[in-house]
Amino acid sequence: MEKKTRNLIFGLFWMLLASSNLCIDGLNIWPMPSSLKYGAKTLYLSKDFGLDTVGSKYVDASSTLKDAFQRLLDIVETAHAIDTNSTYYNPSLLLKGMRVVISSPNDEFGVDESYKLSIPSSGNPIYATLEAPTLYGALHGLQTFSQLCHFNFTTRIIEVRQAPWNIIDQPRFSYRGLLIDTSRHYQPLPIIKNVIDAMAYTKLNVLHWHIVDTQSFPLEIPSYPKLWNGAYSPSERYTMADAAEIVNYAKRQGINVLAELDVPGHALSWGIGYPSLWPSSDCPEPLDVSNEFTFKLIDGVLSDFSKVFNFKFVHLGGDEVDTSCWVMTPHVRKWLTKHGLNETEAYQYFVLRAQQIAISHGYEIINWEETFNNFGNKLSRKTVVHNWLGGGVAQQVVAAGLRCIVSNQDKWYLDHLDITWQQFYMNEPLTNITNLQQQKLVIGGEVCMWGETVDGSDIEQTIWPRAAAAAERMWTPYDKLAKDPRQVTGRLSHFRCLLNQRGVAAAPLTGRGRAAPEEPGSCYKQ
Amino acid sequence: MEKKTRNLIFGLFWMLLASSNLCIDGLNIWPMPSSLKYGAKTLYLSKDFGLDTVGSKYVDASSTLKDAFQRLLDIVETAHAIDTNSTYYNPSLLLKGMRVVISSPNDEFGVDESYKLSIPSSGNPIYATLEAPTLYGALHGLQTFSQLCHFNFTTRIIEVRQAPWNIIDQPRFSYRGLLIDTSRHYQPLPIIKNVIDAMAYTKLNVLHWHIVDTQSFPLEIPSYPKLWNGAYSPSERYTMADAAEIVNYAKRQGINVLAELDVPGHALSWGIGYPSLWPSSDCPEPLDVSNEFTFKLIDGVLSDFSKVFNFKFVHLGGDEVDTSCWVMTPHVRKWLTKHGLNETEAYQYFVLRAQQIAISHGYEIINWEETFNNFGNKLSRKTVVHNWLGGGVAQQVVAAGLRCIVSNQDKWYLDHLDITWQQFYMNEPLTNITNLQQQKLVIGGEVCMWGETVDGSDIEQTIWPRAAAAAERMWTPYDKLAKDPRQVTGRLSHFRCLLNQRGVAAAPLTGRGRAAPEEPGSCYKQ
């Protein structure tokens, strides 16, 4: 019913080519585990495939593991209707269930995320075994297991190919982040939850929530209830209960939420509710450094944050601070003179004071790299410096003994649509850092989905699959990473199609970020 | 953390403007009902807001209504965390539940889809009442009710504003379709289900599933198991159980699935499994008219279809048939000569024979308009002619006494990204048809999401919100439709944001189809 644009003979050729190329084999796991061995037998998931936690020390009082196991079954069975009456399989090849043994009740961030997954090829009955020091490791193991499961179009049931499996796995970096920005565009809760689900599939573990910025202030702050007057509209807001729901939803998937309060720049929207935060209404940014109310309010915000955002870090921003409004506004200029501060010193004063407030609420701090570039030796030793301007800063940060997160914008900014997945994959956080102690100070990296042109309609395909390419860089041991991205094209393509099969709107690998497919074709070829 | 591209003062101005413009009032219902009255009281949804079916004749043996009611609660509560301990409300304004009274056990397509929804503003306790002749009407009424529900950011519970409500509603056309195309790109089941969910929100009621085409044959046909050898890859396939799941999933939301078998053109992929269907491998389309196996196979396919696709219609395609391969292939040319048929006559022979096969399996037939344009007076009187080439055909079809569905490509093809929502809204199926009897033969319309550049990553934002604009055209009485689309911009914008809040990736109204937002801003302004 659409005009025939393709030559029929070419189409035929293409189809034969495509159908002869089967991407599915046991090595289509993303991100690639540290170590794996596999065999040649095919097992079948029992229709009552169950969870067994005998021997586990993890109490699972809030059913986090139980729910994760149910999600595993749901995503494995979502792509096709399972035939629960299938009689095709050999009973001796039936995988009856999974034993999950967690040796610690601990579920704090930064602890051991390792796991061991073994699937024997015989037994009576056969059980998979997932061992992990912590819940987080077990959650990762379940994700890996889900990628070993395939729908068999003959038997109509789920099978695990290439058993026996022995996988030993752990992340290379403890901080594997994705930033979302709800100030430039409000993102409704179900959209954020979808992003979190796909993060779990890729073993990313920190959702950096850039909640507020110049454009809008969508979050409720109970201590200062007029702040969300700066929301775009009355309905484009999050209550603190909404924020708690996001935090809890993420936590149950092994993901911590890093809340950001970007001060003193990027904060114009704060003054909609409290205009005295502005130097003046004509010159409203950065926040008024001369006004004690500014710091009182930041204290109130961080106090409210600490009740909901229970990750050990808070992000205090500190980037792109243009202090000219401080100099141009008489009462602020007067204050600067009185305290003998020049503009840079006032900027430093602001950032350090905000750091002290955050520390008083029990947080460690993350700040964007300008704070380090301007007064790195003054920053709290609890500071993690967040790189973004380009390469080379991480080296300096760790040489100075501070921790660092890598997000260089030329490679890991998802809003830069011209950055290909290959560039995301090849961006190495430890570039030029050879000292082992210094390497350990690079706690990880983060891909950033700034929201200028991203709303609920296009956030998923702008993030995926490029963020997944970076996720392997952050998870997989350096020696197992491809030196040439062409070596992983087929596997990433397979993972992108898997995301689609799970309902995630991951874009084709070809073309720019979030590009539509250019022509008809198989998911595995685009 | 992103460069500041906007002038701060301008940003401030914009924010004040945006926050002063509140889109939410009781008239933000999409599509607009036939008749409505409302008041000025605000009611609150009880935390145990329940379904009461006393007096209903509909048995609900498979819990269709019960599940629909649960979905209503889910979508109403999905955008924000509800405070189940809220004590803000006045007990006398509590909406305790909904009485749904269905007067017929019938749930066949084409029956009465009307409903009456009344929400009194007092009572002890207050109950909403939804009356409908059929289940389908009740499902529509639940959708309308869901759009009367709003999260209150003060009480943290769901409220119904502007009670009392009295809504009387029914569709203008009985066939309100959306086409999806799983041949140019495979669409995984969860993606199709998401499309179905959003169709229900807009009261569309036919999912036209263009399953197979030249590029790929993804569906299992048990009678001819090699047909899906024409799939793009082993995993880009639907089992018949998958198809049944789609049919059932749609049916439970009041949506029928129209399966299409586009013959004799658009069928190259069939020959991957059965090459004798091709005139020759050098000249493989249309299907070989001279081969009895072609019709035997169509009979088998339609026999298999009839076990799963239980909608009264089947679509037999019949468009864009280039018969030159018939003339160029010796054995087919010989057959034409033997039977004294020229090319057009052979095309007619094929289509009419396929129609008879479909009728023998109990179907009424839909064919694309070329069949009417070429031999309209020979078509079965059970044929519905499906317009697509442009305007004007519907007039001729109904004048000839046949039924018609309108999908003129210049206005209702979603893959034409340059067609704006305004054009979708203004496309009138009854253009130039004034005779009342003839008007009744236009059973409705359909917007078409051809899949050349649409896969799991971009189908939602290419469909929405433009398909919703057409949905109002097909649902709402002519006299209540806006004569100028600017009159409904705010309401459609509100509906687009509502779709986002429900997790549907509906695109901004501004710009081309599926365009990303151009700059930061409120959902309601883009």
Side-chain angles (χ1 to χ4, degrees):
Chain A
M1 248 326 345
E2 183 74 331
K3 67 184 189 298
K4 295 176 188 173
T5 52
R6 304 288 150 200
N7 176 290
L8 294 180
I9 302 306
F10 172 77
L12 172 59
F13 171 77
W14 166 248
M15 238 180 327
L16 290 170
L17 189 74
S19 65
S20 72
N21 187 315
L22 173 47
C23 308
I24 296 169
D25 76 13
L27 295 183
N28 280 318
I29 305 171
W30 195 277
M32 183 58 81
S34 300
S35 140
L36 51 79
K37 289 181 191 163
Y38 55 93
K41 276 200 182 174
T42 296
L43 307 180
Y44 303 90
L45 235 58
S46 169
K47 63 183 169 189
D48 55 356
F49 184 77
L51 169 66
D52 174 355
T53 57
V54 172
S56 184
K57 297 226 170 60
Y58 183 70
V59 180
D60 202 26
S62 52
S63 295
T64 308
L65 178 62
K66 188 162 157 275
D67 290 354
F69 190 81
Q70 185 57 50
R71 273 199 309 278
L72 161 71
L73 295 179
D74 290 346
I75 59 170
V76 160
E77 296 180 353
T78 192
H80 297 283
I82 307 298
D83 181 358
T84 51
N85 297 318
S86 179
T87 53
Y88 264 91
Y89 51 80
N90 177 342
S92 75
L93 295 174
L94 201 63
L95 189 56
K96 189 73 182 148
M98 182 185 281
R99 295 203 176 96
V100 179
V101 181
I102 299 173
S103 52
S104 145
N106 197 344
D107 64 352
E108 290 305 299
F109 172 81
V111 296
D112 197 327
E113 292 180 272
S114 69
Y115 67 92
K116 289 184 195 178
L117 174 64
S118 65
I119 310 173
S121 61
S122 61
N124 185 17
I126 308 175
Y127 269 84
T129 302
L130 175 59
E131 295 170 275
T134 71
L135 169 69
Y136 281 10
L139 294 176
H140 293 313
L142 292 176
Q143 293 295 345
T144 301
F145 182 83
S146 78
Q147 294 191 36
L148 302 180
C149 295
H150 304 279
F151 180 77
N152 180 314
F153 281 84
T154 303
T155 61
R156 316 299 163 101
I157 54 178
I158 301 296
E159 66 186 20
V160 173
R161 300 176 196 148
Q162 296 173 280
W165 281 94
N166 275 292
I167 296 178
I168 300 174
D169 201 10
Q170 63 178 36
R172 182 172 169 222
F173 293 105
S174 65
Y175 183 109
R176 304 177 304 281
L178 166 67
L179 176 147
I180 61 168
D181 166 7
T182 57
S183 177
R184 277 63 177 251
H185 284 95
Y186 180 83
Q187 296 287 354
L189 253 59
I191 305 279
I192 296 176
K193 289 178 178 175
N194 289 343
V195 169
I196 291 169
D197 290 344
M199 286 178 72
Y201 302 155
T202 55
K203 300 188 172 75
L204 292 171
N205 71 341
V206 179
L207 177 69
H208 176 176
W209 188 0
H210 186 85
I211 309 173
V212 306
D213 205 297
T214 290
Q215 285 82 355
S216 76
F217 197 115
L219 181 65
E220 173 185 29
I221 299 295
S223 299
Y224 291 91
K226 289 186 198 165
L227 275 171
W228 69 358
N229 292 5
Y232 276 134
S233 69
S235 68
E236 288 167 292
R237 296 189 293 182
Y238 307 101
T239 66
M240 264 294 173
D242 293 341
E245 186 166 315
I246 290 296
V247 168
N248 187 46
Y249 187 90
K251 191 71 178 277
R252 294 175 74 85
Q253 308 223 41
I255 293 165
N256 275 296
V257 175
L258 171 68
E260 179 173 355
L261 205 63
D262 195 349
V263 293
H266 290 278
L268 182 140
S269 64
W270 300 37
I272 304 288
Y274 297 97
S276 75
L277 294 168
W278 292 331
S280 75
S281 57
D282 295 332
C283 211
E285 264 187 325
L287 295 173
D288 188 345
V289 64
S290 74
N291 187 348
E292 275 302 302
F293 177 66
T294 301
F295 297 98
K296 189 167 166 242
L297 184 138
I298 289 172
D299 185 60
V301 172
L302 288 171
S303 170
D304 288 353
F305 268 28
S306 68
K307 291 164 194 153
V308 167
F309 298 112
N310 51 16
F311 188 30
K312 70 175 176 178
F313 293 110
V314 73
H315 202 303
L316 292 180
D319 58 303
E320 294 186 307
V321 179
D322 174 353
T323 51
S324 53
C325 277
W326 287 349
V327 182
M328 286 160 60
T329 308
H331 81 269
V332 186
R333 188 172 58 235
K334 194 172 157 190
W335 181 91
L336 292 173
T337 307
K338 180 180 166 191
H339 291 83
L341 298 173
N342 64 26
E343 291 175 63
T344 308
E345 287 162 345
Y347 166 38
Q348 172 186 321
Y349 162 79
F350 197 115
V351 168
L352 298 183
R353 192 162 169 192
Q355 287 203 333
Q356 286 312 311
I357 296 169
I359 289 167
S360 78
H361 291 291
Y363 283 120
E364 296 180 46
I365 306 121
I366 304 179
N367 269 116
W368 293 109
E369 69 168 86
E370 288 96 323
T371 58
F372 175 82
N373 300 341
N374 280 284
F375 41 87
N377 61 345
K378 298 291 198 307
L379 292 172
S380 159
R381 301 303 290 172
K382 290 193 173 182
T383 307
V384 178
V385 177
H386 196 165
N387 150 252
W388 73 278
L389 283 165
V393 178
Q395 276 176 267
Q396 298 167 36
V397 171
V398 298
L402 292 178
R403 291 169 295 175
C404 187
I405 296 166
V406 170
S407 293
N408 44 316
Q409 62 175 343
D410 55 326
K411 298 294 167 51
W412 275 4
Y413 264 28
L414 291 157
D415 53 316
H416 292 201
L417 300 178
D418 55 337
I419 305 178
T420 63
W421 74 261
Q422 289 92 339
Q423 292 171 289
F424 274 83
Y425 188 87
M426 294 306 290
N427 190 43
E428 172 49 45
L430 298 187
T431 298
N432 293 333
I433 302 173
T434 51
N435 176 296
L436 207 64
Q437 287 310 311
Q438 291 185 7
Q439 286 184 344
K440 285 183 181 163
L441 291 173
V442 178
I443 64 171
E446 181 177 298
V447 289
C448 300
M449 183 66 279
W450 295 105
E452 278 79 356
T453 67
V454 170
D455 64 11
S457 73
D458 60 346
I459 188 168
E460 284 199 346
Q461 66 268 35
T462 316
I463 292 176
W464 315 109
R466 293 181 302 158
E472 176 153 301
R473 172 67 49 178
M474 294 189 258
W475 178 273
T476 302
Y478 184 80
D479 291 344
K480 295 202 77 174
L481 290 167
K483 302 304 171 252
D484 181 334
R486 281 174 292 191
Q487 297 168 312
V488 300
T489 305
R491 186 161 52 85
L492 182 59
S493 170
H494 184 271
F495 184 69
R496 183 298 261 210
C497 299
L498 182 68
L499 289 176
N500 283 180
Q501 286 157 26
R502 294 177 178 183
V504 180
L509 269 61
T510 51
R512 290 157 56 90
R514 80 173 169 226
E518 285 176 11
E519 57 183 15
S522 166
C523 178
Y524 298 98
K525 300 284 177 185
Q526 296 193 317
Chain B
M1 248 332 335
E2 183 76 332
K3 65 183 189 299
K4 295 174 187 174
T5 51
R6 306 286 151 199
N7 178 292
L8 296 180
I9 302 308
F10 172 77
L12 172 60
F13 170 77
W14 165 249
M15 237 180 324
L16 289 169
L17 191 74
S19 65
S20 71
N21 188 315
L22 173 48
C23 308
I24 296 169
D25 75 14
L27 294 183
N28 281 317
I29 305 172
W30 194 279
M32 184 58 80
S34 300
S35 140
L36 52 80
K37 289 180 190 162
Y38 55 94
K41 273 201 185 174
T42 296
L43 307 179
Y44 303 90
L45 235 60
S46 169
K47 64 182 169 187
D48 55 356
F49 183 77
L51 169 67
D52 174 355
T53 57
V54 171
S56 183
K57 297 225 170 60
Y58 182 70
V59 179
D60 203 26
S62 53
S63 296
T64 309
L65 178 63
K66 187 162 156 277
D67 289 354
F69 190 80
Q70 185 56 50
R71 272 198 310 277
L72 160 72
L73 295 179
D74 290 347
I75 59 171
V76 160
E77 295 180 354
T78 192
H80 296 283
I82 307 298
D83 181 358
T84 52
N85 297 317
S86 180
T87 52
Y88 265 90
Y89 51 80
N90 177 342
S92 75
L93 295 173
L94 202 63
L95 188 57
K96 189 73 181 148
M98 182 185 281
R99 294 202 176 98
V100 179
V101 181
I102 299 173
S103 52
S104 147
N106 197 343
D107 64 353
E108 290 304 299
F109 172 81
V111 296
D112 197 326
E113 292 180 272
S114 69
Y115 67 91
K116 290 184 194 177
L117 174 63
S118 66
I119 310 172
S121 61
S122 61
N124 187 16
I126 307 175
Y127 268 84
T129 303
L130 174 59
E131 296 170 275
T134 71
L135 169 69
Y136 281 10
L139 294 176
H140 294 314
L142 291 177
Q143 294 295 345
T144 301
F145 182 83
S146 79
Q147 293 190 37
L148 303 181
C149 294
H150 305 278
F151 180 77
N152 180 315
F153 281 84
T154 303
T155 61
R156 313 301 162 101
I157 54 179
I158 302 295
E159 65 186 20
V160 172
R161 301 175 196 150
Q162 295 173 279
W165 281 95
N166 275 292
I167 296 178
I168 300 174
D169 201 9
Q170 62 178 35
R172 182 173 169 219
F173 292 106
S174 65
Y175 183 109
R176 303 177 305 281
L178 166 68
L179 177 147
I180 62 167
D181 166 7
T182 57
S183 177
R184 277 62 177 250
H185 284 95
Y186 179 83
Q187 296 287 354
L189 254 58
I191 305 278
I192 296 176
K193 289 178 179 175
N194 289 344
V195 169
I196 290 169
D197 290 344
M199 286 178 71
Y201 302 155
T202 56
K203 300 188 172 75
L204 291 171
N205 71 340
V206 179
L207 178 68
H208 175 176
W209 188 0
H210 185 86
I211 309 173
V212 305
D213 205 297
T214 290
Q215 285 82 353
S216 77
F217 197 115
L219 181 65
E220 172 186 29
I221 299 295
S223 300
Y224 291 92
K226 290 186 198 164
L227 275 171
W228 69 357
N229 292 6
Y232 277 133
S233 69
S235 69
E236 288 167 292
R237 296 188 294 181
Y238 307 102
T239 66
M240 264 294 175
D242 292 342
E245 185 166 317
I246 291 295
V247 168
N248 187 46
Y249 188 90
K251 192 71 177 278
R252 295 174 74 84
Q253 306 224 44
I255 293 165
N256 276 297
V257 175
L258 170 69
E260 178 172 355
L261 205 62
D262 194 350
V263 293
H266 289 279
L268 182 140
S269 63
W270 300 38
I272 304 288
Y274 298 96
S276 74
L277 294 169
W278 292 331
S280 76
S281 57
D282 295 333
C283 211
E285 265 187 324
L287 295 172
D288 188 346
V289 65
S290 74
N291 187 349
E292 275 303 301
F293 177 66
T294 301
F295 297 99
K296 188 166 167 247
L297 184 138
I298 288 173
D299 184 59
V301 173
L302 287 171
S303 171
D304 288 352
F305 268 27
S306 67
K307 291 164 194 152
V308 167
F309 298 111
N310 52 16
F311 188 30
K312 70 175 177 179
F313 293 111
V314 73
H315 202 303
L316 292 180
D319 58 302
E320 294 186 308
V321 180
D322 174 353
T323 52
S324 53
C325 277
W326 287 348
V327 183
M328 286 161 59
T329 307
H331 81 270
V332 185
R333 187 172 59 235
K334 194 171 158 191
W335 181 90
L336 292 174
T337 308
K338 179 180 166 192
H339 291 82
L341 298 174
N342 65 24
E343 291 175 64
T344 308
E345 289 163 344
Y347 166 37
Q348 172 185 320
Y349 162 79
F350 196 115
V351 167
L352 298 183
R353 193 163 167 190
Q355 287 203 333
Q356 287 311 311
I357 296 170
I359 289 167
S360 78
H361 290 291
Y363 282 120
E364 297 181 46
I365 305 121
I366 303 178
N367 270 115
W368 292 110
E369 69 168 84
E370 288 95 322
T371 58
F372 175 82
N373 299 342
N374 280 284
F375 42 87
N377 59 347
K378 299 290 198 307
L379 292 172
S380 159
R381 301 303 290 171
K382 288 193 171 181
T383 307
V384 178
V385 177
H386 195 164
N387 151 253
W388 74 277
L389 284 165
V393 177
Q395 278 176 264
Q396 299 166 36
V397 171
V398 298
L402 292 177
R403 291 169 296 177
C404 188
I405 295 165
V406 170
S407 292
N408 44 317
Q409 62 176 342
D410 55 327
K411 298 293 168 53
W412 274 3
Y413 264 27
L414 291 157
D415 53 317
H416 292 202
L417 300 178
D418 54 337
I419 305 178
T420 62
W421 73 262
Q422 290 90 340
Q423 291 171 290
F424 274 84
Y425 188 89
M426 294 307 290
N427 190 43
E428 172 49 45
L430 298 187
T431 298
N432 294 332
I433 303 173
T434 51
N435 175 297
L436 207 64
Q437 287 311 310
Q438 291 185 6
Q439 285 185 346
K440 283 183 183 164
L441 292 173
V442 178
I443 64 172
E446 181 177 298
V447 289
C448 299
M449 182 66 278
W450 295 104
E452 278 80 356
T453 67
V454 169
D455 65 10
S457 73
D458 59 346
I459 188 168
E460 284 199 347
Q461 66 268 37
T462 316
I463 293 176
W464 315 110
R466 293 181 302 157
E472 176 153 300
R473 171 67 49 179
M474 296 189 256
W475 177 275
T476 302
Y478 183 79
D479 291 344
K480 295 202 77 173
L481 290 166
K483 303 305 170 251
D484 181 333
R486 281 175 291 191
Q487 297 168 313
V488 300
T489 304
R491 186 160 53 85
L492 182 59
S493 170
H494 184 270
F495 184 69
R496 180 304 258 208
C497 300
L498 182 68
L499 289 176
N500 282 181
Q501 286 157 26
R502 293 176 178 184
V504 179
L509 270 62
T510 51
R512 290 158 55 88
R514 78 172 170 227
E518 285 177 12
E519 58 184 13
S522 167
C523 178
Y524 299 98
K525 299 283 177 185
Q526 296 193 317

